[in-house]
Amino acid sequence: MASSSGRSIVETFLLVLTVSSMMMSSGLEARRLLQTTQPSIPNMPGIPSNLPKPTGLPPLPSIPSNIPPLPTNLPNMPKPNALPPFPSIPQFPTVPQATLPPLPNIPSIPTIPTTMPSIPFLSPPPSN
């Protein structure tokens, strides 16, 4: 009985072999298509040679000389303070504020002394 890793190697090999044979057959088909004779394309009719030859560009249209002048007085624009007022924002009902009961008194914690008391018989004798 083959192990799972051995079976995996065999499956991978078969997959690579199948893909490579498909690539080779598609390459052979492409080569065969290139080697076959191309179908003949019918000749397209040429452009007739008796068309009139362009001699130049047509003349530009003339600009009329009686153009009215631009107006110099502009119409009055509305002033910014003449705009209508904004609509009023509706008032939302107020939500009553929740009040919390007072916190209970917490007893004070005694402090821990940070200095060591001196013990007479463990300390060195006083110097004279």
Side-chain angles (χ1 to χ4, degrees):
M1 180 170 236
S3 66
S4 65
S5 65
R7 188 174 352 161
S8 172
I9 292 172
V10 171
E11 289 173 354
T12 305
F13 175 74
L14 290 175
L15 180 67
V16 168
L17 186 65
T18 304
V19 170
S20 65
S21 67
M22 287 171 49
M23 295 282 241
M24 285 181 12
S25 66
S26 65
L28 291 174
E29 289 297 319
R31 182 179 297 156
R32 186 184 66 78
L33 284 175
L34 287 174
Q35 289 174 350
T36 58
T37 58
Q38 298 291 329
S40 63
I41 299 174
N43 290 334
M44 299 296 288
I47 299 174
S49 60
N50 58 357
L51 290 176
K53 301 280 185 216
T55 58
L57 295 175
L60 293 174
S62 63
I63 299 174
S65 60
N66 56 357
I67 299 175
L70 293 174
T72 56
N73 55 351
L74 297 175
N76 291 335
M77 299 297 288
K79 300 206 182 308
N81 58 3
L83 295 175
F86 286 112
S88 63
I89 299 173
Q91 295 292 326
F92 293 106
T94 58
V95 178
Q97 296 291 327
T99 56
L100 297 175
L103 294 175
N105 291 335
I106 300 173
S108 61
I109 300 172
T111 59
I112 300 173
T114 57
T115 58
M116 293 293 292
S118 64
I119 303 173
F121 63 85
L122 293 179
S123 59
S127 61
N128 289 350

